[in-house]
Amino acid sequence: MKKLFVIFSLAASALIFNSCSTSHYVAEQPVAPVYARPVSPGPTYVWVDGDWRWHRGRYVYVNGHWARRRSHQAWVNGSWARGPHGFYWRKGHWR
């Protein structure tokens, strides 16, 4: 019984840590879809480019949007980077 519990615990923790991974690799960079940018809601907004999100074992594209400008910060677009196992997405962020 104790051996079964240990095996179950190891399997559960492997699943949990695998799903919490921040870097997911793909062999090729996906191509972003082309879509029309909507009109800006006002002068205090900045365009935030679309982003790739990991969902159910693959990257899914999320369209860009207008966001309120943050004082003394600039939006840095996300980008693809090459890692030891292929490509992974670096999320965009405010800097």
Side-chain angles (χ1 to χ4, degrees), residues 20-44:
C20 293
S21 175
T22 57
S23 299
H24 301 283
Y25 292 96
V26 291
E28 295 180 15
Q29 300 174 27
V31 178
V34 177
Y35 61 95
R37 181 187 297 187
V39 177
S40 173
T44 61

Side-chain angles (χ1 to χ4, degrees), residues 27-91:
E28 295 180 15
Q29 300 174 27
V31 178
V34 177
Y35 61 95
R37 181 187 297 187
V39 177
S40 173
T44 61
Y45 287 81
V46 63
W47 179 254
V48 174
D49 275 342
D51 202 22
W52 290 94
R53 302 235 169 96
W54 188 257
H55 182 70
R56 296 186 180 182
R58 65 188 182 97
Y59 281 104
V60 177
Y61 189 78
V62 178
N63 286 347
H65 62 277
W66 290 100
R68 284 195 181 273
R69 187 180 316 264
R70 295 185 183 182
S71 62
H72 309 295
Q73 290 187 324
W75 176 254
V76 178
N77 289 328
S79 62
W80 288 101
R82 182 181 286 277
H85 305 292
F87 292 95
Y88 65 95
W89 180 251
R90 287 190 221 167
K91 296 175 93 172

